[in-house]
């Protein structure tokens, strides 16, 4: 009998050492919803993961899931001082932009943030037909429901319609087309000339890829924001982005799914410690960070003329 060849599903994450507990939750949810007919090749892009965390994360390998840690210190050495961040972001947020040139052997990959839980086989998203577009992603819920961010997306980032501004935390990347487009060279060119202070790498992606984006259903990147149009039974992936962290706040929509997978990991006690150690001052800081972000978006949008009419 001929041996069945399993299809490889390349899945990329990018984390710093402190985010490993939440990476473990994401991986647990990926594993629990995986199919034996696929091989899930997980690449963890990083610059500072400790040996202890590598050992613990490596335990999530299965016969159909392999995990590789990719140290990018050598790759970003010359430009790391240009990779600006704000608030709680780290420079790892930029690592997804280097995937096309780092992995010439792949034509298509998935990039996932680590503050997620997956409720369906992630291969179903990988198999989405994106044609010759550069990326496939879901519209960003934060943008869709806030006029200040809508103006920012159109006037500052430059997308034609805020409804096409996508969230880059769940990203299907057409590496073949991105290389043809010379995406990395264009990003580094823009990095020297334009500073997007609101969403940083996500803004660069939206600016560079506009006109070549395939929108996917928001059930594949569902944020914890009330929307009666989306039924919970239809949700495929939950993204606890910005300050919507169930390990910080009690009243987060879909928190039960995070804790369901978290309790399966050996980081569960550590995550509970993080929740219990989260101070009132830190809560206030994170709540104020969202208000500061809106003010920043408004200030930048106010500085740009409006020729959309």
């Amino acid at each position: 009998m001929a041996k069945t060849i399993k299809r490889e599903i390349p899945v990329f994450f990018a984390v710093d050492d402190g985010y490993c507990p939440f990476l473990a939750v994401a991986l647990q949810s990926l594993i629990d919803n995986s199919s034996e007919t696929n091989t899930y090749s997980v690449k963890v892009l990083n610059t500072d993961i400790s040996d202890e965390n590598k050992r613990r994360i490596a335990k999530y390998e299965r016969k159909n899931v392999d995990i590789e840690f990719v140290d990018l210190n050598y790759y970003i050495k010359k430009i790391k001082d240009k990779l600006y961040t704000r608030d709680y972001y780290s420079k790892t947020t930029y690592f997804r932009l280097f995937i096309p040139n780092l992995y010439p052997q792949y034509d298509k990959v998935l990039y996932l943030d680590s503050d997620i839980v997956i409720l369906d086989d992630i291969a179903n998203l990988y198999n989405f037909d994106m044609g010759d577009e550069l990326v496939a992603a879901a519209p960003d819920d934060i943008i869709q429901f806030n006029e200040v961010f809508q103006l920012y997306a159109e006037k500052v980032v430059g997308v034609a319609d805020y409804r096409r501004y996508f969230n880059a935390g769940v990203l299907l990347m057409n590496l073949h087309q991105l290389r043809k487009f010379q995406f990395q060279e264009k990003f580094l060119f823009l990095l020297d000339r334009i500073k997007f202070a609101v969403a940083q790498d996500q803004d660069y992606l939206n600016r560079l890829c506009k006109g070549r984006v395939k929108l996917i259903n928001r059930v594949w990147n569902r944020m914890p924001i009330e929307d009666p149009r989306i039924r919970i039974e239809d949700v495929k992936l939950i993204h606890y982005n910005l300050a919507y962290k169930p390990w910080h706040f009690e009243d987060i929509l879909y928190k039960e799914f995070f804790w369901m997978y978290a309790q399966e990991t050996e980081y569960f006690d550590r995550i509970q410690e993080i929740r219990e150690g989260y101070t009132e001052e830190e809560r206030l800081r994170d709540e104020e960070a969202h208000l500061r972000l809106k003010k920043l978006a408004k200030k930048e949008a106010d500085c740009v003329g409006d020729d959309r009419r």
Side-chain angles (χ1 to χ4, degrees):
M1 182 179 294
K3 185 177 181 180
T4 302
I5 299 176
K6 294 185 178 182
R7 183 169 191 188
E8 182 182 12
I9 311 296
V11 183
F12 285 74
F13 293 92
V15 297
D16 57 22
D17 203 47
Y19 234 72
C20 283
F22 313 114
L23 171 62
V25 178
L27 287 173
Q28 187 66 58
S29 69
L30 183 153
I31 291 165
D32 285 0
N33 293 284
S34 65
S35 168
E36 292 294 330
T37 62
N38 300 313
T39 294
Y40 302 81
S41 297
V42 175
K43 315 291 185 186
V44 182
L45 308 180
N46 72 94
T47 56
D48 65 348
I49 296 181
S50 68
D51 289 341
E52 173 62 15
N53 274 326
K54 287 180 180 178
R55 182 188 66 78
R56 297 178 77 179
I57 293 296
K59 291 181 179 180
Y60 292 89
E61 286 197 318
R62 301 291 188 271
K63 64 180 181 180
N64 66 328
V65 179
D66 59 80
I67 299 173
E68 178 186 3
F69 299 94
V70 183
D71 189 330
L72 291 190
N73 274 300
Y74 78 98
Y75 198 79
I76 67 166
K77 185 176 181 180
K78 291 182 180 179
I79 62 166
K80 65 180 180 180
D81 292 336
K82 298 179 182 179
L83 303 178
Y84 57 90
T85 59
R86 61 163 177 79
D87 297 331
Y88 43 76
Y89 285 90
S90 74
K91 293 183 179 182
T92 58
T93 191
Y94 287 96
F95 291 173
R96 74 199 78 182
L97 307 184
F98 305 121
I99 294 173
N101 286 23
L102 278 168
Y103 285 86
Q105 66 269 42
Y106 290 134
D107 285 339
K108 183 171 74 167
V109 304
L110 276 168
Y111 169 84
L112 304 175
D113 278 351
S114 298
D115 50 356
I116 64 167
V117 294
I118 302 163
L119 305 180
D120 194 270
D121 186 354
I122 201 64
N124 292 329
L125 178 56
Y126 179 82
N127 292 332
F128 181 76
D129 183 7
M130 62 189 302
D132 289 334
E133 306 296 13
L134 298 177
V135 297
D140 192 301
D141 279 348
I142 302 299
I143 301 289
Q144 309 310 307
F145 295 102
N146 190 289
E147 186 177 0
V148 170
F149 292 126
Q150 291 168 11
L151 289 172
Y152 173 82
E154 293 183 0
K155 294 176 64 178
V156 180
V157 179
V159 296
D161 185 333
Y162 72 84
R163 288 167 291 191
R164 296 195 63 81
Y165 180 99
F166 61 87
N167 179 272
V170 179
L171 197 62
L172 187 58
M173 306 177 72
N174 189 336
L175 300 196
H176 175 67
Q177 291 296 330
L178 285 163
R179 286 189 291 267
K180 285 180 63 177
F181 182 68
Q182 296 184 309
F183 174 84
Q184 182 169 308
E185 292 85 345
K186 291 175 179 177
F187 161 63
L188 294 175
F189 176 85
L190 276 187
L191 187 64
D192 280 331
R193 289 157 180 83
I194 300 174
K195 182 177 181 180
F196 291 121
V198 173
Q200 299 146 127
D201 63 297
Q202 180 169 286
D203 286 343
Y204 283 113
L205 275 160
N206 273 274
R207 175 68 167 263
L208 286 164
C209 296
K210 65 177 184 174
R212 297 194 61 185
V213 178
K214 187 82 167 181
L215 293 180
I216 63 175
N217 195 301
R218 287 163 52 227
V219 299
W220 277 108
N221 191 348
R222 181 72 181 106
M223 299 173 191
I225 300 172
E226 293 284 355
D227 186 345
R229 295 170 299 177
I230 297 181
R231 303 183 307 166
I232 181 56
E233 56 264 35
D234 295 330
V235 173
K236 310 290 188 182
L237 184 151
I238 301 167
H239 186 187
Y240 303 99
N241 66 325
L242 296 178
Y244 297 100
K245 311 300 187 194
W247 56 91
H248 286 165
F249 297 96
E250 292 293 332
D251 57 344
I252 299 298
L253 190 64
Y254 307 134
K255 65 180 181 181
E256 64 274 18
F257 295 99
F258 173 81
W259 291 112
M260 178 177 72
Y261 289 110
Q263 68 182 359
E264 290 189 58
T265 75
E266 65 173 70
Y267 282 97
F268 182 58
D269 290 343
R270 174 59 188 143
I271 295 171
Q272 287 186 308
E273 288 174 5
I274 291 170
R275 179 176 62 175
E276 293 165 2
Y278 194 63
T279 66
E280 197 60 39
E281 289 78 14
E282 288 172 318
R283 288 187 177 90
L284 183 61
R285 177 203 66 195
D286 281 350
E287 289 170 351
E288 290 177 343
H290 185 65
L291 295 176
R292 288 197 307 271
L293 185 60
K294 287 178 66 175
K295 289 179 180 178
L296 177 60
K298 185 177 188 307
K299 184 176 181 179
E300 293 213 5
D302 287 345
C303 290
V304 180
D306 190 353
D307 63 355
R308 291 171 299 161
R309 295 182 181 86

